[in-house]
Structures are given as structure tokens and as C-alpha cells.
Amino acid sequence: MKTLTEYLWFETKQRHELVRITDEVAALTKKSGIAEGMALVSAMHITAGVYVNDDEPGLFEDIWKWLEHLAPARPDYRHHQTGEDNGDAHLKSMLVHHQVIVPITKGRLDLGTWQHVFYAEFDGQRRKRVIVKIMGE
Amino acid sequence: MKTLTEYLWFETKQRHELVRITDEVAALTKKSGIAEGMALVSAMHITAGVYVNDDEPGLFEDIWKWLEHLAPARPDYRHHQTGEDNGDAHLKSMLVHHQVIVPITKGRLDLGTWQHVFYAEFDGQRRKRVIVKIMGE
Amino acid sequence: MKTLTEYLWFETKQRHELVRITDEVAALTKKSGIAEGMALVSAMHITAGVYVNDDEPGLFEDIWKWLEHLAPARPDYRHHQTGEDNGDAHLKSMLVHHQVIVPITKGRLDLGTWQHVFYAEFDGQRRKRVIVKIMGE
């Protein structure tokens, strides 16, 4: 069994941002030398998410509108009594989920044609990271 | 370490459909010869999901009604400007999540009594697939 | 490759409860002797969830209010025609997701500073369990 562990760093310009990371995960998979296995891609923060979906700008708008509708930024979260103002970011992270597993087959990410891996930043403008842990043989 | 990779194909008669796939995943686990490990069950499309819950028809109705309430089919998604009409299916996929990991213990799926694996089709009536990747020893 | 499989048992005093289980998962990781790998933490019930987020009581209140808003307890779920009264718990489980993977690096849980693993009970006051399956080397 082989493993590879690396960390992707982000510091988004906007507070909310979607960053496509398929190529980075593919490059780490190649680096790992693993032919058959799984790549865990997991946010190390509680106000960010990782998901798999389409790389289409119209959809990005739909996703943000939808997330804002289901987990809105509001002043009255109890969490804000700690001095934070990012209560919505915690809920958005739970909604989107903070991690995915990408299967690796014959040395490549085994994704469908339209599947891309995204880092979803819900409280950005500071350094944050995602762990990529690859296991296989 | 052993691995097994197989693909389950679906072409649902309805646009929206829930398909129980516990037996298929169990059969692949047996075929793999793996006694201790994990089975990743992951949709390869961005308009479908995979989840674990109860095999109860009343609940299926509740789930559809709930998904339609939280991620409704509507004409005005920006994604539709690409010619698509399935914006809601992308959001439903994100909500349900597109994958699960089923633990394997002593050669069998280590699920609770009422847990079943489901493929959730949000934009069907065409051929789509799910990867099952099993890793262990 | 090594594996360790253990079950955490819960019997919450309240119907709804969040239980921090980071320490239990860390202890099992130490017990496994695995330095590099992944720990699957997965509810074995369809009315419970497992998630990673902040250990902050104000946020717990926000999470409950949010879950109740998006997947409310109501008398009129079709699932209740089976005699059950926990339709909302099934939907809450789907929303939160029933499992996470915690990466293990150098023998320790490789979590961000504020990340904690939680068991989310949506229909408690009876014995339920979570499987912890650790794989690696």
C-alpha cells in the first residue's frame, strides 16, 4: 500500500468563491504513483466545503443563490455572540459537505465527463487549506 | 491490498427515480474477495446522487416532496441559458451528496439493520452510471 | 495494510443531541497503530448523522434551528403511516450526511484546528451505534 499526503492552500480574493481543483488533485495522483485507490479531498476548515459538480458559470450563480436562500447570512446567529460573523458559512459547509473521495483507476481520476472537484470558500480572504490524502497501490 | 472496480449502469423510465442498489454492492463485495475494507459507491454524473437510508415507499414520497421544496424545478436557473433544463437536478445532487462509503467487515457490507444504499436519479431516461470501487484485504 | 473496526454506542437522554466524538476516534486511531490512512466514521442508523464542524454551543443552537427549518418535525409525513413519528429525522440525516472520513497522518487525526467530529442524534433515547473503520499502514 502507498499513501501520499499533501495540502492545497487558498487565499481567495472574495469572501465567497468557488475554485476548481480537479487539475491539482490529478497532478497529486500522478505524483503518488498510485494506480488503483482513492483520493480524499477534505477541507480543513469549518467554513468551507468540497464538492463535485459541473464547471459552468451559470450554475455557479445558481449555487450561490441557492446556498444563500437555504443558509442565509444573517446578523442574529447565536454563534455571533462569540464575536464571529460567519454563522452562515458553518451552515453552508454542512449543506455542501466538506469532503469528497475521488476514485483512482489505472493511475487517473475516475470521474464522469462533466465531474469537476471544487473548493467552496464561504468565509475567505485569509489563508485556508485542503488536505489531499491518496491511498492505494 | 486488493481492489475491485466495477460500474453499475442505469436508464430509469422516469425522470426522477430512487433505485435500491444494496444487493448489487453486496454482490460486488463478495466478488472482490475482500474481507476488511471499504466500498466507495459514487455517481459519475452531476445530476444524480447516492445515499443511505430506509427502504420504505412512504419515505420515498417524503424525500421527493422535500427535495422539490428545497431545490425546486424552475425555469429561471441561469444554468438553463446553456440550453439545459436540469438546474434543479444539480442542486438536488449537491443536497443529497453523490457518494457513500460502505464499510466491509468479515466479507460483508457492515450496514445497520435498516440501512440501504440508493441511487437517486434526478434527470433520467438516459444511460448513466455509478462507480463501485472496493479497497481492502 | 492494517484495519481496525470498532463500534461506538450511544443512548442519548434527549431526542435531539449533538455528541462530540473526536476523542473517541483519536483513541481508536492510536489503538489501530496505523500511521497513514483513513478513519471512516459512519452512523449505522437512518435517523442520525455524523459531521465535522465547530465545537461551539452557540453554533449548536444555530444548527438545530436551521435543521428544524429545513427538515421540520411535522405530523403529515407519509412515512408516519407505518406507525413511525420520525419522518423529519430521516430527512435531517440526509441533509447532514451520515458519515465522514477523517484522514490519519503520522498516527494522528489530521484535522484543522477547529474541526471536531460530531454524532448527531435526531431520534434518540434508545441504543444506537456508529462504526469506526480505520484502514492504512
Side-chain angles (χ1 to χ4, degrees):
Chain A
M1 209 193 81
K2 289 187 204 177
T3 64
L4 177 80
T5 306
E6 300 249 358
Y7 305 88
L8 304 176
W9 286 90
F10 301 88
E11 186 168 0
T12 61
K13 289 187 181 169
Q14 310 298 323
R15 183 157 184 176
H16 291 177
E17 214 166 306
L18 301 179
V19 186
R20 196 184 73 181
I21 56 172
T22 320
D23 294 346
E24 287 79 356
V25 178
L28 292 176
T29 298
K30 194 173 178 187
K31 181 179 175 184
S32 76
I34 288 170
E36 299 294 323
M38 298 182 190
L40 172 68
V41 185
S42 190
M44 299 187 74
H45 299 263
I46 51 195
T47 53
V50 173
Y51 72 90
V52 166
N53 214 290
D54 198 357
D55 182 20
E56 199 279 295
L59 184 65
F60 300 159
E61 285 190 44
D62 295 328
I63 289 170
W64 282 120
K65 198 171 170 185
W66 177 67
L67 289 174
E68 198 55 38
H69 179 64
L70 292 189
R74 290 184 345 198
D76 61 339
Y77 287 115
R78 287 293 300 266
H79 183 53
H80 295 176
Q81 295 184 7
T82 63
E84 295 284 354
D85 66 351
N86 60 5
D88 68 302
H90 291 269
L91 302 181
K92 286 178 173 92
S93 169
M94 291 183 67
L95 184 56
V96 162
H97 210 53
H98 74 292
Q99 62 185 187
V100 298
I101 298 262
V102 184
I104 298 166
T105 306
K106 297 179 186 171
R108 301 184 63 172
L109 302 184
D110 202 347
L111 291 167
T113 311
W114 304 102
Q115 285 186 307
H116 274 284
V117 186
F118 284 91
Y119 171 70
E121 178 60 83
F122 303 126
D123 186 21
Q125 298 168 322
R126 51 200 177 93
R127 276 170 66 76
K128 294 170 83 166
R129 60 184 180 150
V130 164
I131 184 171
V132 180
K133 184 131 207 154
I134 305 176
M135 255 173 74
E137 62 174 7
Chain B
M1 209 193 81
K2 290 188 206 178
T3 64
L4 177 81
T5 307
E6 301 248 358
Y7 305 89
L8 303 177
W9 287 90
F10 301 88
E11 187 168 358
T12 60
K13 289 187 180 168
Q14 310 297 323
R15 184 158 184 175
H16 291 178
E17 214 165 306
L18 301 179
V19 186
R20 197 184 73 183
I21 56 173
T22 320
D23 294 346
E24 286 79 356
V25 178
L28 293 176
T29 299
K30 193 172 178 187
K31 182 179 174 183
S32 76
I34 288 170
E36 297 295 322
M38 299 182 190
L40 172 68
V41 184
S42 190
M44 299 187 75
H45 299 263
I46 51 196
T47 53
V50 173
Y51 71 90
V52 166
N53 213 290
D54 197 359
D55 183 20
E56 198 279 296
L59 184 66
F60 300 159
E61 285 188 46
D62 296 326
I63 290 171
W64 283 119
K65 198 172 171 186
W66 179 67
L67 289 174
E68 198 55 38
H69 179 64
L70 292 189
R74 288 185 347 197
D76 62 339
Y77 288 114
R78 288 293 301 267
H79 184 53
H80 295 175
Q81 296 183 8
T82 63
E84 294 284 354
D85 66 351
N86 60 5
D88 68 302
H90 292 268
L91 303 181
K92 287 179 171 92
S93 169
M94 291 182 68
L95 184 57
V96 161
H97 210 52
H98 73 293
Q99 60 185 188
V100 298
I101 298 261
V102 185
I104 298 166
T105 305
K106 297 181 186 169
R108 301 183 64 173
L109 302 183
D110 201 348
L111 291 167
T113 312
W114 303 102
Q115 286 186 307
H116 275 281
V117 186
F118 284 91
Y119 171 70
E121 178 60 83
F122 303 126
D123 186 20
Q125 297 169 322
R126 50 200 179 91
R127 275 170 68 75
K128 293 170 84 166
R129 62 185 178 147
V130 164
I131 185 170
V132 180
K133 183 132 207 152
I134 304 175
M135 255 172 77
E137 63 175 5
Chain C
M1 209 193 82
K2 290 187 204 176
T3 64
L4 177 80
T5 306
E6 299 249 359
Y7 305 88
L8 303 176
W9 287 90
F10 300 88
E11 186 168 359
T12 62
K13 288 187 182 171
Q14 310 298 323
R15 183 157 184 176
H16 291 178
E17 214 165 307
L18 301 179
V19 186
R20 197 184 72 181
I21 56 173
T22 320
D23 295 346
E24 286 78 356
V25 178
L28 292 176
T29 298
K30 193 171 179 188
K31 182 178 175 184
S32 75
I34 288 171
E36 298 294 324
M38 299 181 190
L40 171 69
V41 184
S42 190
M44 300 187 76
H45 298 262
I46 50 194
T47 53
V50 174
Y51 71 91
V52 166
N53 214 291
D54 197 358
D55 183 20
E56 198 280 293
L59 185 66
F60 300 159
E61 284 189 45
D62 296 327
I63 289 171
W64 283 119
K65 198 172 170 184
W66 178 68
L67 289 173
E68 198 54 38
H69 179 64
L70 293 189
R74 290 186 345 200
D76 62 339
Y77 288 116
R78 286 295 300 267
H79 183 53
H80 295 175
Q81 295 183 7
T82 63
E84 294 285 354
D85 66 351
N86 60 4
D88 69 302
H90 291 269
L91 303 181
K92 287 178 172 92
S93 168
M94 290 183 68
L95 184 56
V96 161
H97 209 54
H98 74 293
Q99 62 185 188
V100 299
I101 298 263
V102 184
I104 298 165
T105 305
K106 297 179 188 171
R108 298 184 64 173
L109 301 184
D110 202 346
L111 290 167
T113 311
W114 304 103
Q115 287 186 307
H116 275 282
V117 186
F118 285 91
Y119 171 69
E121 178 60 82
F122 303 126
D123 184 21
Q125 298 168 322
R126 51 201 177 93
R127 274 170 68 76
K128 294 169 83 165
R129 62 186 178 147
V130 165
I131 183 170
V132 180
K133 183 132 207 153
I134 305 175
M135 254 172 76
E137 63 175 4

